[in-house]
Amino acid sequence: MENRKPVLGITMGDPASIGPEVAVKALLDSKVYEVCNPVLVGEADVFEQAIAFCGLDLKINRISKIADAKFEKGIADVFDLNYMNIADLKMGEITAEAGDVAFRTVVKNIELALAGEIDGTVTGPINKESIQKAGHVFAGHTEIYAHYTDTKKYGMLLVEENLRVIHVSTHVSLRQACDLVKKDRILDTISLIDDACKKLGVINPKIGVAGLNPHASDGGLFGWEEEQEILPAVQEALKRGFNVEGPIPADTLFPKAIGGVYDGCVAMYHDQGHIPFKTVGFNWDQSKGQMKSVRGVNITLGLPIIRTSVDHGTAMEIAGRGIASPDAMVLAIEYAAKLHKNKQDNQ
């Protein structure tokens, strides 16, 4: 198959957030057009507004079909959905109107990918409260993608340099998360991250599996999940040929992974994986009272289509000020392109 630059659909996220801003800023990074042909998906008026308040030298090319994209640096091709009147947009506010537009934009991007009109999808941040206000009962992007692609086994992979993290559970309460620490679920998660590491170019990835309890329960002193669920999952994974270790105390696992000991980490619940990940990727500027760099990519595993995303939120408090960092969006685009290339190479 001919090796070509993929066409990537990049959503604006919540139109009232920093999503449109980081998307248009990303198009000014030379690396983006080197690795892909980007198309913004969403409201052309919203992107145009973001270009204006950021003072960017970027023109909008409104399109209704991918074939009309120019793919030229300095011109933002926008698959214009016309779902909203920009006069109704309230920057920095959580509203049902913004949530509905954000949700419908994600669904349209999925449809474009499933139809083969684009080669991969990249998503800007959505606000879960806005989505819920609009009547769309989904916990986040991952669940939306799973539903609209009819995917049963899926996972969220976080990537930032040497640190690659997947979770046994994500958007549930901590009480529910403990109940979801089950052997079969852990085995599926190990399989997903092993496959993902290989797709990212890691040969024979070494996977570290975190314990649930402090000190991985210290031999049963602080809990039973390690002995009854996590260790049996690791032992079964070893039998199946995976290069895996665990359960490992989380406060030991993640520093070692950052140092390169492990190629991938299996976290038992959302915050166990997200806190070390964001500690590495998010850098706060104390003098300015704002983030100076926000890095890290979220990749949904198990889907029939490529989906990467920024791993930061909507940052409503700075929306419309032109100060949001596009670093994570550029990385998300690069990873989507990398996944497409590896997919082509293996066909």
Side-chain angles (χ1 to χ4, degrees):
M1 181 177 291
E2 180 186 356
N3 222 322
R4 61 174 178 80
K5 288 192 292 185
V7 177
L8 299 181
I10 304 164
T11 64
M12 64 181 177
D14 191 303
S17 77
I18 64 169
E21 175 185 341
V22 297
V24 294
K25 282 181 174 178
L27 295 192
L28 295 179
D29 192 305
S30 60
K31 290 178 288 188
V32 168
Y33 281 89
E34 289 173 7
V35 299
C36 76
N37 290 320
V39 176
L40 302 182
V41 179
E43 302 294 305
D45 287 343
V46 172
F47 286 119
E48 205 154 51
Q49 175 181 273
I51 289 169
F53 66 67
C54 290
L56 307 180
D57 184 15
L58 193 61
K59 306 297 182 186
I60 292 282
N61 175 37
R62 297 172 187 241
I63 62 175
S64 57
K65 54 182 185 291
I66 300 298
D68 291 336
K70 297 180 181 297
F71 302 132
E72 296 176 14
K73 191 175 179 184
I75 299 176
D77 294 303
V78 178
F79 194 96
D80 192 14
L81 300 179
N82 286 311
Y83 288 154
M84 72 180 301
N85 185 338
I86 195 168
D88 298 328
L89 180 62
K90 300 173 182 177
M91 289 299 294
E93 293 190 22
I94 297 171
T95 66
E97 292 77 14
D100 185 57
V101 172
F103 176 84
R104 293 169 67 191
T105 300
V106 172
V107 174
K108 173 56 69 173
N109 213 27
I110 293 170
E111 291 172 350
L112 289 171
L114 289 174
E117 295 186 51
I118 58 178
D119 298 301
T121 67
V122 182
T123 55
I126 58 174
N127 187 283
K128 296 176 181 63
E129 186 178 348
S130 295
I131 296 291
Q132 297 278 338
K133 279 179 177 285
H136 304 295
V137 188
F138 289 91
H141 270 120
T142 305
E143 292 77 14
I144 296 171
Y145 268 77
H147 176 79
Y148 282 94
T149 61
D150 194 29
T151 302
K152 304 305 179 187
K153 292 183 180 181
Y154 56 90
M156 174 196 297
L157 177 70
L158 305 180
V159 182
E160 165 57 10
E161 295 186 349
N162 287 342
L163 189 57
R164 302 175 188 90
V165 184
I166 192 171
H167 306 73
V168 172
S169 67
T170 50
H171 300 127
V172 297
S173 72
L174 186 55
R175 175 64 271 158
Q176 289 175 291
C178 293
D179 293 337
L180 290 171
V181 176
K182 299 298 181 184
K183 175 185 172 181
D184 288 346
R185 192 178 181 97
I186 297 164
L187 266 171
D188 287 342
T189 307
I190 292 169
S191 179
L192 283 169
I193 194 170
D194 180 83
D195 182 62
C197 287
K198 288 173 180 174
K199 287 178 178 176
L200 291 171
V202 181
I203 300 171
N204 189 28
K206 186 174 183 180
I207 308 302
V209 178
L212 172 67
N213 298 295
H215 307 289
S217 85
D218 254 353
L221 291 176
F222 311 124
W224 51 264
E225 290 86 357
E226 283 76 11
E227 181 182 355
Q228 295 186 20
E229 302 291 346
I230 303 174
L231 181 58
V234 170
Q235 291 171 335
E236 180 61 30
L238 286 167
K239 289 179 184 177
R240 297 184 186 184
F242 294 104
N243 184 7
V244 60
E245 291 182 3
I248 304 164
D251 56 1
T252 300
L253 171 62
F254 293 107
K256 291 175 76 173
I258 292 167
V261 174
Y262 298 105
D263 299 301
C265 300
V266 175
M268 290 298 118
Y269 56 93
H270 184 282
D271 283 12
Q272 187 185 58
H274 273 71
I275 290 172
F277 182 80
K278 291 189 175 183
T279 299
V280 172
F282 288 28
N283 295 292
W284 181 259
D285 188 323
Q286 187 171 359
S287 62
K288 294 182 179 180
Q290 67 185 53
M291 289 289 181
K292 60 181 177 181
S293 178
V294 179
R295 295 172 60 87
V297 178
N298 179 340
I299 302 172
T300 304
L301 307 179
L303 301 174
I305 59 177
I306 292 169
R307 183 255 168 168
T308 67
S309 180
V310 297
D311 191 51
H312 60 69
T314 49
M316 294 296 196
E317 68 279 4
I318 62 169
R321 293 170 57 188
I323 61 174
S325 167
D327 292 354
M329 177 58 79
V330 172
L331 276 174
I333 293 168
E334 289 182 298
Y335 268 94
K338 184 174 184 178
L339 287 167
H340 177 264
K341 182 180 184 304
N342 288 345
K343 181 179 179 180
Q344 279 191 311
D345 291 345
N346 292 322
Q347 285 180 339

